[in-house]
Amino acid sequence: MHRHEGPSRGKFTAAVTAAVTLAVTAVGVVIARYDDRPPWATDIAYEGGFILASRIRGYDVDGSRTKALLAGECALMQRQGMGGDRAVHDPAAWVAGCLDGAAGLPSRNQGLLH
């Protein structure tokens, strides 16, 4: 039998320590950069507004609620906090998504590249 010897314990420990230090530093940089806001927060906010308005539009039998959304109710709902946590990340994107959903437009976030 041939016995394979890996790196010495000292080299292995140094490599693991360096990898852990690099990972912790990278996580620290990401947290410092974005804090509580994820990097894709604008997309999350837009989709939150789009989905809410699409649901309202889907259940709106006479079209009155859809007209109200397009006439400014999207912005009013955002100001009243009805957008939830998603709207907090980017209120303007949430309102834009709400307006697109109310108008029946396709989501700008569909597809592989947007």
Side-chain angles (χ1 to χ4, degrees):
M1 266 198 216
H2 177 68
R3 184 174 152 190
H4 174 71
E5 292 188 24
S8 67
R9 285 186 180 170
K11 288 182 181 178
F12 179 74
T13 304
V16 168
T17 303
V20 168
T21 303
L22 182 64
V24 169
T25 302
V27 168
V29 168
V30 169
I31 289 172
R33 169 71 171 91
Y34 295 106
D35 198 21
D36 288 337
R37 184 181 191 274
W40 52 89
T42 299
D43 292 342
I44 292 170
Y46 177 87
E47 285 299 316
F50 183 85
I51 290 170
L52 180 64
S54 295
R55 288 180 181 161
I56 291 171
R57 187 173 188 267
Y59 287 105
D60 187 16
V61 178
D62 62 356
S64 61
R65 189 71 199 273
T66 301
K67 288 178 187 173
L69 287 172
L70 293 171
E73 192 174 334
C74 284
L76 179 65
M77 287 189 329
Q78 189 280 320
R79 282 194 304 271
Q80 292 176 345
M82 294 176 69
D85 291 338
R86 292 178 181 209
V88 172
H89 292 307
D90 192 341
W94 190 92
V95 172
C98 181
L99 291 172
D100 287 351
L105 299 173
S107 171
R108 71 176 183 203
N109 293 336
Q110 288 180 345
L112 294 175
L113 302 172
H114 57 273

